[in-house]
Amino acid sequence: MRVLSGIQPSGDYLHIGNYLGALRQFVALQEEHEILVFIADYHSMNAVRDGAARREFTRSVALDYLACGLDPARAMLFRQSDIPEVAELSWLLSTVTPMGLLERAHAYKDKLAQGQSADHGLFAYPVLQAADILLYRSDLVPVGQDQKQHVEMCRDIAQRFNHTYGEDLLVVPEPLIPEEAALVPGTDGRKMSKSYGNAIAMFASRKEIKKAVMSIVTDSTPVEAPKDTATPLFQLWSLFASADEKREFFARAGEGGLGYGDVKKDLLERLLAYFEPMRERREALAARPDEVEDVLVDGVQRARAIATPVLEACRQAAGLGRG
Ligand code: ADP
Ligand code: TRP
């Protein structure tokens, strides 16, 4: 199976939702599958309008990938824009993509609902994402729940293109959503997201992580009373505990006597311990930027070898170029 996914360089940190929803799966999948993981810098142009910032964020995501355990000997790690052919495939696909399909996309609908006007880039975003997936004939796309719709649109677009130009041209992919961390809650209980300001950054300082953990919403249930474990604090806690620990802890919560402050302290220690080895790896790598760049150069060469014949077959089938 060929696996592919990407994360946008849209800020200076990734958060634990990105890790549990996406990155952790990439790392697990590299053991058994061919995997391509890219930095979606073209996509980030919808949100980040500063070139220098994008370069910095791109470097930061590359470090995150390596720090989290993606192994460049197995995974192909690359910058999306280093294979600009994806923009050509995006055009080909856009000619078979109904307006109605794109009008139903969440990111676009949300923007309109907020009363903001959208650019064509945001409207066409799912087509570029489809091109990312289809250019490499990917079978599986590991993403968090919020990206499921985009993969479904990609399936629809691939089927339409195949139907028009040739049934075996493009592989119709499947999304892979992690069961236990499909939608990691943020400190305010909504989906954890960079854009909501409710995120716990993976590699922030102890002080910042503590501040975020302490700000997780709770109610005013007194210490002695039983606690509802279907709440963001307990959900977050359980993402860093084993099944046995969870059973025991949730039973204690049900009996009462467990204060929210203690749960937060325990969560903080678990979080810091969990990410510490990755943090150390990240710091070491940050001091060797040339090595990180070499990884991306090698990754893009291997990825291009897959992409070139796929695009060429699509061009031929569509009667483009010399023939
Ligand atoms: P953000 O919403 O913070 O901007 P992105 O859209 O860049 O995050 O997401 C990158 C990857 O991380 C995607 O695969 C996405 O599904 C996953 N992801 C983001 N937030 C969460 C979350 N709260 N829970 C689970 N997965 C998430
Ligand atoms: N849209 C994805 C996000 O915001 C990033 C992305 C771009 C992606 N192209 C992709 C994810 C292809 C999976 C496959 O998180």
Side-chain angles (χ1 to χ4, degrees), residues 18-320:
N18 297 136
Y19 178 75
L20 299 170
L23 265 162
R24 186 169 64 174
Q25 302 202 82
F26 307 168
V27 176
L29 288 160
Q30 73 181 349
E31 300 299 324
E32 294 199 5
H33 301 282
E34 183 182 21
I35 179 165
L36 297 97
V37 184
F38 63 95
I39 306 165
D41 53 355
Y42 278 142
H43 276 102
S44 73
M45 294 180 74
N46 284 309
V48 178
R49 308 287 181 155
D50 173 336
R54 186 175 347 278
R55 274 243 158 72
E56 199 40 52
F57 298 162
T58 299
R59 220 188 322 267
S60 176
V61 175
L63 285 174
D64 291 330
Y65 282 168
L66 292 167
C68 290
L70 277 170
D71 173 5
R74 297 172 191 253
M76 291 168 242
L77 306 178
F78 62 103
R79 263 182 300 259
Q80 181 187 30
S81 64
D82 280 342
I83 306 196
E85 292 90 329
V86 75
E88 181 178 354
L89 182 61
S90 182
W91 169 253
L92 269 56
L93 299 175
S94 76
T95 63
V96 299
T97 305
M99 293 286 284
L101 184 75
L102 298 179
E103 278 161 359
R104 285 194 293 279
H106 295 315
Y108 172 68
K109 277 202 325 202
D110 290 351
K111 186 117 189 185
L112 292 194
Q114 287 162 20
Q116 296 174 25
S117 67
D119 293 310
H120 177 255
L122 184 72
F123 186 65
Y125 178 114
V127 187
L128 180 59
Q129 183 158 349
D132 289 324
I133 298 168
L134 301 173
L135 184 58
Y136 306 95
R137 292 179 72 85
S138 317
D139 302 295
L140 265 189
V141 184
V143 281
Q145 179 72 32
D146 60 310
Q147 291 295 317
K148 190 169 176 222
Q149 187 195 38
H150 287 151
V151 182
E152 276 160 5
M153 290 173 140
C154 171
R155 289 171 57 84
D156 192 339
I157 295 169
Q159 278 155 352
R160 285 168 193 270
F161 194 83
N162 283 350
H163 192 61
T164 310
Y165 292 112
E167 284 306 334
D168 292 324
L169 279 172
L170 301 172
V171 172
V172 180
E174 298 281 347
L176 184 71
I177 317 283
E179 248 169 60
E180 72 297 356
L183 225 168
V184 176
T187 53
D188 61 358
R190 292 187 292 169
K191 177 203 125 151
M192 184 175 290
S193 173
K194 258 171 286 194
S195 45
Y196 294 160
N198 65 356
I200 304 177
M202 255 194 294
F203 298 123
S205 66
R206 182 186 171 97
K207 201 169 147 210
E208 284 166 303
I209 297 185
K210 181 170 180 193
K211 192 166 159 226
V213 169
M214 293 306 157
S215 76
I216 296 169
V217 282
T218 48
D219 54 28
S220 53
T221 314
V223 174
E224 325 75 65
K227 303 290 179 306
D228 178 6
T229 53
T231 46
L233 176 59
F234 282 99
Q235 273 176 281
L236 282 165
W237 182 91
S238 65
L239 291 167
F240 295 92
S242 69
D244 283 347
E245 287 174 321
K246 184 176 162 186
R247 214 170 303 117
E248 195 208 328
F249 203 66
F250 280 23
R252 266 179 67 197
E255 287 160 12
L258 184 62
Y260 289 129
D262 291 335
V263 183
K264 287 182 176 178
K265 270 190 214 134
D266 194 57
L267 170 61
L268 176 65
E269 293 314 319
R270 281 169 188 265
L271 269 174
L272 292 169
Y274 190 95
F275 289 111
E276 186 53 29
M278 298 180 216
R279 177 199 302 278
E280 283 170 15
R281 205 152 47 217
R282 195 179 194 281
E283 273 165 22
L285 281 162
R288 307 197 300 264
D290 293 350
E291 232 172 87
V292 178
E293 192 51 38
D294 288 349
V295 165
L296 298 181
V297 168
D298 175 64
V300 80
Q301 279 169 359
R302 288 149 67 205
R304 171 165 276 118
I306 300 174
T308 307
V310 177
L311 181 61
E312 192 46 36
C314 291
R315 285 172 54 94
Q316 285 298 323
L320 298 167

